[in-house]
Amino acid sequence: MSFGNRLILALSVVALGVALSGCEPSDQSRSDEENEPHFILGKNRVNAMDYQGAVEAFEESVEANPRSAAAHFELAWLYDEKIPDPAAAIYHYQEYLKFNSHADNADVIKQRIYRCKQQLAADVLPLPSAPAMQQQLEKLAEQNRQLQDEVDKWRAYYASQSTTKPDSLAAQGDSISTVQTNSIPKPSVQSRSTPGNVTSANRASTSTSARTHSVASGETAMSITRKFGVKLSALQAANPGVNLSRLKVGQTLNIP
C-alpha cells in the first residue's frame, strides 16, 4: 500500500472518530454539560423547590449548548412532574434520547413519553358524545319519575285512611255496643204490690216496671252491680233484708 493510500485511510479513521464522538456524549462531555453555569443554577433552584426558576435556568443551559442531553432531561422531568406541560415534556424527553440514544433509562423515558401523549390527548381532544350514557340518564330519570308517582299514591292512600279511620272506628263502636246490648238478658218485669203498703200500690197503679235478677252460680253482689251498672248501696236499698254477702243460687234480687 502506498503512502498516499495509508494517509487517506488514517484521515478517514480520524474523521469517523470525530463524527462518532459528536453523536454520542462521552463521560467528559456529560461532565461538561453538568458543570455548565446555568445547569448548576438550575439544579440549585430545584433543590430550593423553585421549579419555575429552574426551568428558566435549564432553558438558558440549552441555549448555551443545544446538544446538552442533561439539560434536556432536567427540563423534561420538570415539565412532566412539577410544571405540567405534556407537550414540552415530550419534546425534551425526545431531545434527551436523541443526544443520548444509549441511555440506560431509555425504556423508562419512552414510557414517560407515552404517558405524556395520553395526557396531552385527554387535555386537547374534545370529549366524544356518549349515547349510552345519555340513555342511562334518561332511564334513571324515568325510574325516578315512576318512584315519585308511587310515593304520591301512597301519600294519598294514607291521607284517605287517616280521614276515614275515625268514622270506621265509630261504626265499629256502634256495632260492638249494639251486640253487647243485645247480649244482655232482659230482666223479667213484674209488678209488686204489698198489701197495706201505699207506696208499692202507687207504683203498681202507675205501671212502674221493676227489674229482677235470679242469682246464677258463681255470681256475687259486686259482679251483679257491675253487670247492671248500679251501685252496691243502691242494690242493697232495693233488696232490704237480703244479705248481699251470702247470696244463694236462684235467689231473686231487685235491680234498681
mmCIF file of all heavy atoms in Angstrom, residues 51 101 122 162 177 191 197 227 232-233:
data_model
loop_
_atom_site.group_PDB
_atom_site.id
_atom_site.type_symbol
_atom_site.label_atom_id
_atom_site.label_comp_id
_atom_site.label_asym_id
_atom_site.label_seq_id
_atom_site.Cartn_x
_atom_site.Cartn_y
_atom_site.Cartn_z
ATOM 1 N N TYR A 51 -39.175 25.694 41.091
ATOM 2 C CA TYR A 51 -39.214 24.931 39.842
ATOM 3 C C TYR A 51 -39.320 25.838 38.618
ATOM 4 O O TYR A 51 -38.721 25.535 37.585
ATOM 5 C CB TYR A 51 -40.383 23.939 39.889
ATOM 6 C CG TYR A 51 -40.265 22.973 41.039
ATOM 7 C CD1 TYR A 51 -41.264 22.893 42.005
ATOM 8 C CD2 TYR A 51 -39.150 22.162 41.176
ATOM 9 C CE1 TYR A 51 -41.156 22.016 43.078
ATOM 10 C CE2 TYR A 51 -39.030 21.280 42.246
ATOM 11 C CZ TYR A 51 -40.033 21.219 43.198
ATOM 12 O OH TYR A 51 -39.916 20.355 44.256
ATOM 13 N N SER A 101 -28.734 8.328 22.897
ATOM 14 C CA SER A 101 -29.544 7.211 22.415
ATOM 15 C C SER A 101 -29.261 5.915 23.164
ATOM 16 O O SER A 101 -30.080 5.001 23.155
ATOM 17 C CB SER A 101 -29.292 7.005 20.910
ATOM 18 O OG SER A 101 -27.910 6.742 20.669
ATOM 19 N N ALA A 122 -55.891 13.665 26.175
ATOM 20 C CA ALA A 122 -57.056 13.862 27.041
ATOM 21 C C ALA A 122 -57.337 15.342 27.252
ATOM 22 O O ALA A 122 -58.492 15.759 27.387
ATOM 23 C CB ALA A 122 -56.831 13.170 28.389
ATOM 24 N N SER A 162 -106.333 8.077 57.040
ATOM 25 C CA SER A 162 -106.402 8.890 58.248
ATOM 26 C C SER A 162 -107.702 9.663 58.329
ATOM 27 O O SER A 162 -108.157 10.029 59.404
ATOM 28 C CB SER A 162 -105.218 9.869 58.275
ATOM 29 O OG SER A 162 -105.267 10.732 57.157
ATOM 30 N N SER A 177 -121.365 -1.956 70.684
ATOM 31 C CA SER A 177 -122.304 -1.625 71.751
ATOM 32 C C SER A 177 -123.664 -2.252 71.484
ATOM 33 O O SER A 177 -124.368 -2.662 72.405
ATOM 34 C CB SER A 177 -122.423 -0.118 71.939
ATOM 35 O OG SER A 177 -122.452 0.546 70.747
ATOM 36 N N SER A 191 -144.832 -6.740 88.490
ATOM 37 C CA SER A 191 -145.382 -5.669 89.328
ATOM 38 C C SER A 191 -145.511 -6.192 90.731
ATOM 39 O O SER A 191 -145.951 -7.323 90.938
ATOM 40 C CB SER A 191 -146.750 -5.215 88.809
ATOM 41 O OG SER A 191 -147.653 -6.289 88.796
ATOM 42 N N ASN A 197 -149.211 -1.486 101.838
ATOM 43 C CA ASN A 197 -148.093 -0.609 101.535
ATOM 44 C C ASN A 197 -148.555 0.358 100.475
ATOM 45 O O ASN A 197 -148.744 -0.010 99.313
ATOM 46 C CB ASN A 197 -146.901 -1.422 101.017
ATOM 47 C CG ASN A 197 -145.640 -0.560 100.957
ATOM 48 O OD1 ASN A 197 -145.725 0.618 100.672
ATOM 49 N ND2 ASN A 197 -144.503 -1.180 101.251
ATOM 50 N N LYS A 227 -122.529 -5.873 86.344
ATOM 51 C CA LYS A 227 -123.304 -6.337 85.193
ATOM 52 C C LYS A 227 -124.405 -5.367 84.828
ATOM 53 O O LYS A 227 -124.653 -5.088 83.650
ATOM 54 C CB LYS A 227 -123.876 -7.717 85.501
ATOM 55 C CG LYS A 227 -124.656 -8.338 84.354
ATOM 56 C CD LYS A 227 -125.093 -9.746 84.705
ATOM 57 C CE LYS A 227 -125.843 -10.391 83.543
ATOM 58 N NZ LYS A 227 -126.254 -11.766 83.834
ATOM 59 N N LEU A 232 -123.469 -0.657 94.717
ATOM 60 C CA LEU A 232 -123.777 -1.685 95.704
ATOM 61 C C LEU A 232 -124.786 -1.171 96.725
ATOM 62 O O LEU A 232 -125.691 -1.923 97.157
ATOM 63 C CB LEU A 232 -122.486 -2.123 96.396
ATOM 64 C CG LEU A 232 -122.607 -3.251 97.429
ATOM 65 C CD1 LEU A 232 -123.121 -4.516 96.749
ATOM 66 C CD2 LEU A 232 -121.272 -3.517 98.116
ATOM 67 N N SER A 233 -124.680 0.098 97.088
ATOM 68 C CA SER A 233 -125.630 0.674 98.057
ATOM 69 C C SER A 233 -127.037 0.704 97.489
ATOM 70 O O SER A 233 -128.032 0.452 98.197
ATOM 71 C CB SER A 233 -125.176 2.078 98.457
ATOM 72 O OG SER A 233 -125.096 2.913 97.299
#
